[in-house]
Amino acid sequence: MRNIKMQVSYDGTAYCGYQIQPDQVTIQGKLEEAVSILTGEEVHITSSGRTDAGVHARAQVINFLTRSAIPIERWCLAINSRLPDDITVHTAEEMPLNFHARHDAKQKTYRYSIHRSRWPDVFHRKTRLHHPSLLDIDAMRRSLRYLEGEHDFTSFCSTRTSVESHVRTIFSTSVEYRPEPMLGDGEAGVIHIYITGNGFLFNMVRIIVGTVLEVGTGKRSESEIKQILDARDRKLAGPTAMAHGLTLWEVRYE
Amino acid sequence: MRNIKMQVSYDGTAYCGYQIQPDQVTIQGKLEEAVSILTGEEVHITSSGRTDAGVHARAQVINFLTRSAIPIERWCLAINSRLPDDITVHTAEEMPLNFHARHDAKQKTYRYSIHRSRWPDVFHRKTRLHHPSLLDIDAMRRSLRYLEGEHDFTSFCSTRTSVESHVRTIFSTSVEYRPEPMLGDGEAGVIHIYITGNGFLFNMVRIIVGTVLEVGTGKRSESEIKQILDARDRKLAGPTAMAHGLTLWEVRYE
């Protein structure tokens, strides 16, 4: 038996999320199909965690057990030729048999991208949230700092969750801004919000972004984030930001 | 009567090209529909020129005559709210009645984009040609220089054309390279080829790119471009590069 670890990117637009579901088109479904056809086995794929419908990944990590003797350097090309063009495998590595993509993940980074301009950007409309009005980037950056550290993130978690503990640790947050002047709007730009933690609750990054956007527009003060966090009440936070701006950026192991 | 000029961007992926055709989904069709609904008139839209199926535009220029009294600053938002999300109007300007988007165009720039990497890029797969093997960018840049100036471009023109003269002037060419390391390929990068001329024949940019790519891979020497040009024979040039890497970048007027 061999344990194969892979890094996979996908454009989540066309999928009902990562996780396999009956009668739905999912990333996991496509990956299992491709690997199963290649190896002739029924393969079950484990990931670092699911991503919601419409959410993308630059570097989702998966692993699976196989008896296939295919040399490790041939896996990527062989699987890519059996995958649709919105899913790509970038690396393949043989791991000890006890490696588990979810249990062993130590830290995850998500990126949320915003196209800040008067006009939508047709070329990035499926990977960036369009936000027409001006945003105070520095205030957004400072408000995110209140979330760093170990906290109970109940306020930033969908009420449709069943996990026992809402305590997670955010190791770091950052907000990058890059001017991208466009036709008819010289002030246009792209904002990337990076959040790194030991794990994330259901919709956590999207609710954080939805709340921080309200800080950016001036609807809330930056320190309100602290009060929302302390209240442990989902109703106090902002709306869940749309899925398409979110990308699973990186997963780190030991 | 008023003459309205607009700059329009579109993701051409879902369209059978710019030009209206019966029973086909086209950019012109969508634009005429949106303007007609807004103004209540039957509006005919003129563009700087058609783009093929799958080709994009950052700044297509259009104009149309209307009796509508809508103030000029309201046109973009009003039309965008009636357009699908892969077409966006960026600027609107009132012009003298004799302005004509095609006849008055003095210079056009196209950009062709190539993702040079071992693995495809799922996030730019509809706007960049994937090229897995290494390319000699400098040789590509030098070979393009042979095309600058006024020439008969028969060798770089689809034989499915009916125009009388194949003489056009290329004012400038350039090749930009930017490293974009990706997972599993630290040598990945994006190549943008810009070609500016007074006009282009059917498939001309795509055939030029298809030929220059053969210079980049070493299949042809850079000076062969000159011999191909002089021969005035389409069969000597390379293949027509795929449509999805091409974007109408800019149209200039007096």
Side-chain angles (χ1 to χ4, degrees), chain A residues 9-21:
Chain A
S9 67
Y10 46 82
D11 171 352
T13 308
Y15 297 93
C16 298
Y18 174 83
Q19 196 175 40
I20 210 157
Q21 300 170 63

Side-chain angles (χ1 to χ4, degrees), chain B residues 2-109:
Chain B
R2 304 161 76 193
N3 191 358
I4 311 283
K5 173 192 175 192
M6 288 179 167
Q7 288 177 295
V8 184
S9 67
Y10 47 82
D11 171 351
T13 308
Y15 296 93
C16 299
Y18 175 82
Q19 196 176 40
I20 209 159
Q21 299 173 62
D23 304 322
Q24 302 282 6
V25 184
T26 63
I27 315 284
Q28 185 184 356
K30 290 291 181 190
L31 286 168
E32 292 192 350
E33 197 179 304
V35 177
S36 297
I37 290 170
L38 178 65
T39 62
E41 303 162 324
E42 200 171 307
V43 168
H44 172 74
I45 291 179
T46 301
S47 75
S48 74
R50 67 185 77 172
T51 53
D52 294 343
V55 173
H56 318 290
R58 169 188 165 271
Q60 171 68 286
V61 175
I62 61 170
N63 78 292
F64 55 89
L65 298 173
T66 178
R67 296 188 188 278
S68 165
I70 300 171
I72 194 68
E73 67 278 7
R74 301 231 186 116
W75 278 90
C76 289
L77 204 60
I79 293 185
N80 283 335
S81 68
R82 287 160 177 88
L83 282 171
D85 68 357
D86 48 9
I87 308 178
T88 298
V89 175
H90 293 254
T91 63
E93 195 181 346
E94 199 156 344
M95 300 296 283
L97 282 181
N98 64 353
F99 171 79
H100 189 285
R102 188 169 74 254
H103 298 158
D104 293 345
K106 295 293 177 224
Q107 139 176 346
K108 264 187 191 179
T109 300

Side-chain angles (χ1 to χ4, degrees), chain A residues 155-168:
Chain A
S155 297
F156 298 97
C157 173
S158 167
T159 52
R160 293 177 294 139
T161 188
S162 57
V163 294
E164 280 174 37
S165 168
H166 293 174
V167 175
R168 295 291 183 278

Side-chain angles (χ1 to χ4, degrees), chain B residues 231-242:
Chain B
R232 300 180 192 184
D233 180 354
R234 168 68 186 92
K235 290 193 291 295
L236 299 186
T240 307
M242 289 175 76

Side-chain angles (χ1 to χ4, degrees), chain A residues 139 143 146 214-215 218-227:
Chain A
S143 71
Y146 290 105
E214 295 187 336
V215 173
K219 187 178 165 187
R220 294 178 191 264
S221 71
E222 57 195 73
S223 61
E224 259 181 88
I225 294 273
K226 173 83 178 111
Q227 296 158 29

Side-chain angles (χ1 to χ4, degrees), chain B residues 145-170:
Chain B
R145 295 271 155 74
Y146 290 106
L147 303 181
E148 295 181 2
E150 187 182 79
H151 302 287
D152 182 315
F153 283 98
T154 301
S155 296
F156 299 98
C157 173
S158 167
T159 52
R160 293 178 293 138
T161 188
S162 57
V163 294
E164 282 174 34
S165 168
H166 292 172
V167 175
R168 295 290 184 278
T169 301
I170 290 185

